[in-house]
Amino acid sequence: MTEKFKEIGVVEGFYGRVWTQSERETFIESMIPFGLNTFLHAPKHEPALGSRLLEPLEAGEKKRLKALAVFCARRKIACWVGLHMEAPFNPARPEHLEQAAAKVAQLAELGVGGFAVLFDDLPPAGHATGQDGEGGKDSQDAKRGDPFGGSLAAAHAHTFNTLREAKRKGRRKLEWLLCPSRYTLDPALERVHGRLEPDYLKRLHAEIPKEVPWLWTGPQVCSPTITPVDRHAYLGAAGALEDGRPLVLWDNYPVNDAAMTTWLHLDPLGGRAPNLHGSVRGYLFNPLLQPVLGAVPGATCLIYAGDPAGYRPTAAWEQALEALVPAPLRKGFAEFAALTRAPNPTGGLPPVWPRGSFPLAGRLLRGWQAMSEEEPVEPYVVIDFRRVVERLEMNLPSAMLEEARPWLNRLKQALTLFEAILDGAPAETLGPLRAQYVARDAPGPPAEVLGPWFP
């Protein structure tokens, strides 16, 4: 029997536009053949699970979340929900804990089978006891004093334990997970969100039941590699090596949210140890914001989780392409992946199929460098470029084409500039085109770059 993770699934945990129910269901269906058994619904911008956590579910929210729970149950997929403990929630206010527990009860009655209590990406100062959601003093809390002795870990432990132990109707067992504020040892966390108390993880571990799994992203927020050594270091920092603490990997690949929205991570997963399942309980990947394009790299994540020791990135990508992209369209998808490639955060694998895509990207890079230095651009570069863009528009499946359109617009803008240079356009024509290109004045991603050869 193949050794694998207990939970093999998806955490819809990205920043940005929340998927529609149709997009979510289509994505889940596409992942089932690859072993999906768990779905954690935790969009960062889902009001009912974050900014409106303390309010009862509205009718439309009830209908949608119940539909998700039923959809998953019919396919024997565990349906969990993430609770973002953000403002206005304050752990020092008993009424806030009661309201959050009431929300859990509502969700459980709808059929949700598990909850992840999420303290990730919260500003410690604004989420500590005795302060309101805006970081100012709350008069009611000031009168009560600080019930947690200034410890964020104590406040988080109290919140989690209160919600987990709250009485609810029925006796159905619920799964419970916790995402600490220090969900990785990456120093970037404190640089972005603020300094945590030095013994945060140790105190949290001491006050949370040992059987409760923690969500962990590996050695970095977006980890290029993840090994059992990284798990050992994390649990060591929590003082949890002797008595243990189960971890569920929240793998931030292929997600492209936050500062990565102009990148497309379409390559296969890489950099994950073949023996990670021996020391980490579960595996959940955070998907690409584009659910149709993202199905291909997402499938490789599940292929890894289902057989870590036997995982081969190239074979997994070919398997995903064969299952998800019609045969005549696979070359177009692979060329698109090559032309929009970002530095792959899970290992920087070269294109694996078709193998001719990588030389094309390399020729375009050299063409761009020549253009930047006002040197001649070779005609074959522009000819190849034009053919690829035309093939993409003609051959990508309609749903993929819709998601890919911003990147195609940017590629076409670069092509226009290349063609103008090749045709010997005068300076008065090239100047505005070059300025427009550098200013990214085209429909598409709002900032930064689209691939390693775009400036």
Side-chain angles (χ1 to χ4, degrees), residues 290-304:
Q290 294 75 23
V292 182
L293 289 171
V296 172
T300 70
C301 295
L302 297 186
I303 293 170
Y304 163 75

Side-chain angles (χ1 to χ4, degrees), residues 382-419:
V382 178
I383 293 170
D384 284 349
F385 195 177
R386 185 187 302 118
R387 286 174 177 169
V388 169
V389 173
E390 290 173 352
R391 273 202 303 269
L392 288 171
E393 291 199 304
M394 292 176 58
N395 295 330
L396 278 181
S398 58
M400 284 187 177
L401 184 61
E402 182 179 352
E403 292 182 351
R405 180 60 64 188
W407 285 268
L408 283 173
N409 287 340
R410 182 68 169 151
L411 290 169
K412 289 166 71 176
Q413 189 186 33
L415 176 59
T416 299
L417 183 54
F418 272 24
E419 289 177 326

Side-chain angles (χ1 to χ4, degrees), residues 267-300:
D267 290 331
L269 178 73
R272 304 301 181 253
N275 58 343
L276 193 61
H277 59 290
S279 55
V280 174
R281 189 181 104 169
Y283 179 94
L284 308 176
F285 75 87
N286 201 4
L288 203 71
L289 272 61
Q290 294 75 23
V292 182
L293 289 171
V296 172
T300 70

